[in-house]
Amino acid sequence: MSKLKIGVIGAGSISEAHLGAYVNNNKVELYAICDLNEQRAKEKAEKYGAKKVYVDYNDLMNDPEVDAVSICTWNNTHAEIATAAVNSGKHVLVEKPMTTNVEKALKLEEAVKNSGKKLQVGFVRRYASNTQVLKKFIDNDDLGEIYFTKATCIRRLGNPGGWFSDVERSGGGPLIDIGVHVIDVLWYLMGRPKVKSISGNTYNKLGNRKNIKNLSFYQAADYDPEKNTVEDMANALIRFENGASMLVDVSFTLHAKKDEIAIKLYGTKGGAEVEPELAIISEKHDTIMNMTPQVDSLTFDFIDGFQNEIDHFVDVCLGEKETFSPVQDGVEMTKILCGIYESAQKGKEIYFD
Ligand SMILES: NC(=O)c1ccc[n+]([C@@H]2O[C@H](COP(=O)([O-])OP(=O)(O)OC[C@H]3O[C@@H](n4cnc5c(N)ncnc54)[C@H](O)[C@@H]3O)[C@@H](O)[C@H]2O)c1
């Protein structure tokens, strides 16, 4: 059987997770790597054994050998590159966030529909085993009606700088970068309810806290502490048409005692936590039960999550599976993220029809 030929566009930090997972998949030939930074692309091609190196993604699109691409570039380029890919007859796995505004998201959705190609959005937490274990309980109605959820991702010191803190290239700060993961996985587990209204706030109070000493944090390759045009904190209340609601709080910097991640759902028959670790809460014979599933990883396993995501994408390209994270969900998530920014900017609740 001939192998699925993959091109990876954007050879920075997260490309490592894609490249490693493709190399582990025996249905794939890792064929090409593209980056504006040729040296970076060459190094990755050598490390992972890809035949071709491109600097301009349009040249990769014109290569008929490529069947599918992973897009691991700055957020503002995702939609344009994904559109070019599907128009060139290639399937697409695009990193989160799918794009930075609703107009671009809708255009991409149209392009995908017209092309007949597959697009999977890199909502990697959907593919994590703790999420999929819980999904089975939810699908079997163990939580009943889920009416309240909480999405928290707090970094007390963690603005990565570089393009992440340049709003032109990132589309925003912690909300669009890390908030997207926790909001999306909850929305997916809630059964993708239609959003009704959003009330959001963003704050630019602390900046990137470049003055802090003796506490290390992840910094982008082109870190420059003088540049920062993104929010340092965001919160929101999202209301859905089915009556459910979600509370969100996310930050790059905050005077918090420690970093925190929480993904929690509350229903009429039970509750659940995906993070900080998988737990299912219920009631039996008038007694509250806190249940701990006996699984290899109760929390998000980065390597395993990416391997599941990539393996699933490969099977989608081969027509063996449907994606868990289609372009339509990318559009809805873009509406939610941009809705939070719009509400914050206007200083009032916004409504969707
Ligand atoms: N799923 C996750 O958990 C996760 C984690 C980190 C990053 N990401 C996403 O992955 C993407 C990349 O993030 P990163 O941390 O790897 O950033 P990075 O800065 O380390 O790498 C981005 C690379 O893209 C290249 N690039 C930018 N525009 C390009 C273009 N038009 N053509 C070719 N190359 C281009 C840059 O030169 C750079 O090498 C972002 O969208 C980010 O949100 C996802």
Side-chain angles (χ1 to χ4, degrees):
M1 197 184 83
S2 70
K3 295 199 173 192
L4 189 78
K5 288 192 179 166
I6 299 284
V8 173
I9 306 167
S13 312
I14 207 58
S15 74
E16 288 280 325
H18 289 239
L19 293 163
Y22 282 126
V23 166
N24 288 339
N25 186 311
N26 60 19
K27 300 175 190 170
V28 160
E29 178 187 338
L30 179 63
Y31 174 78
I33 299 189
C34 169
D35 200 292
L36 292 175
N37 182 326
E38 189 173 14
Q39 187 55 29
R40 204 172 282 164
K42 276 187 177 160
E43 279 166 18
K44 292 278 158 79
E46 201 158 305
K47 180 172 171 192
Y48 290 97
K51 270 189 202 140
K52 292 269 183 126
V53 167
Y54 291 103
V55 174
D56 183 340
Y57 74 80
N58 291 300
D59 294 335
L60 183 146
M61 298 308 166
N62 290 329
D63 185 336
E65 294 283 308
V66 179
D67 299 307
V69 296
S70 265
I71 301 173
C72 305
T73 54
W74 308 323
N75 301 344
N76 66 327
T77 65
H78 289 179
E80 151 197 325
I81 300 176
T83 303
V86 293
N87 288 344
S88 310
K90 308 190 191 311
H91 303 296
V92 170
L93 171 58
V94 58
E95 261 304 344
K96 49 50 60 173
M98 188 176 85
T99 184
T100 49
N101 71 50
V102 178
E103 200 188 333
K104 288 204 230 176
L106 290 169
K107 279 193 184 152
L108 176 55
E109 184 182 29
E110 191 65 21
V112 172
K113 211 162 72 187
N114 293 338
S115 71
K117 292 286 136 185
K118 308 285 181 186
L119 183 141
Q120 176 167 311
V121 186
F123 293 138
V124 66
R125 281 179 179 268
R126 293 190 185 198
Y127 297 85
S129 57
N130 60 346
T131 304
Q132 287 303 321
V133 168
L134 178 60
K135 179 105 175 29
K136 272 204 181 151
F137 283 77
I138 291 175
D139 289 348
N140 283 289
D141 203 34
D142 282 25
L143 267 53
E145 178 198 341
I146 298 169
Y147 57 91
F148 176 48
T149 59
K150 275 176 95 165
T152 294
C153 195
I154 297 295
R155 286 183 187 165
R156 57 184 172 162
L157 181 73
N159 179 331
W163 70 267
F164 287 95
S165 57
D166 170 9
V167 73
E168 295 299 321
R169 287 181 288 170
S170 61
L175 178 64
I176 203 165
D177 182 37
I178 50 179
V180 59
H181 283 300
V182 286
I183 297 170
D184 174 71
V185 80
L186 281 173
W187 183 69
Y188 168 69
L189 290 170
M190 291 167 85
R192 306 169 165 107
K194 212 164 175 296
V195 60
K196 183 174 147 191
S197 68
I198 293 179
S199 189
N201 299 284
T202 56
Y203 296 96
N204 298 55
K205 296 286 186 188
L206 307 182
N208 57 12
R209 299 179 79 194
K210 60 177 190 270
N211 58 305
I212 296 295
K213 294 187 173 63
N214 308 315
L215 188 62
S216 49
F217 62 97
Y218 169 75
Q219 298 180 345
D222 55 345
Y223 185 75
D224 174 359
E226 300 314 315
K227 284 194 194 142
N228 182 37
T229 52
V230 298
E231 82 276 4
D232 42 65
M233 198 274 160
N235 63 44
L237 171 62
I238 307 170
R239 283 197 172 85
F240 298 95
E241 280 188 355
N242 64 1
S245 55
M246 185 192 297
L247 269 184
V248 179
D249 57 340
V250 295
S251 68
F252 272 168
T253 57
L254 190 70
H255 285 300
K257 191 175 169 206
K258 55 180 185 171
D259 290 353
E260 188 186 352
I261 180 160
I263 302 177
K264 301 182 178 180
L265 305 93
Y266 304 95
T268 51
K269 289 198 206 167
E273 301 190 355
V274 182
E275 298 291 344
E277 58 177 37
L278 187 60
I280 298 170
I281 299 96
S282 190
E283 188 187 301
K284 221 168 163 99
H285 314 305
D286 305 326
T287 298
I288 291 176
M289 307 286 292
N290 286 358
M291 293 175 283
T292 307
Q294 300 302 293
V295 294
D296 283 340
S297 181
L298 287 171
T299 185
F300 178 62
D301 179 328
F302 187 88
I303 302 283
D304 192 54
F306 274 94
Q307 191 67 57
N308 291 347
E309 176 187 65
I310 297 281
D311 289 348
H312 198 93
F313 174 62
V314 169
D315 291 345
V316 167
C317 295
L318 296 172
E320 294 169 8
K321 283 185 183 161
E322 289 298 321
T323 180
F324 296 164
S325 49
V327 64
Q328 295 87 327
D329 288 10
V331 171
E332 290 306 307
M333 203 39 53
T334 310
K335 282 185 189 165
I336 290 176
L337 297 170
C338 293
I340 296 173
Y341 283 127
E342 184 186 334
S343 165
Q345 193 249 328
K346 290 184 171 157
K348 61 179 190 186
E349 188 163 14
I350 59 154
Y351 292 85
F352 295 80
D353 9 85

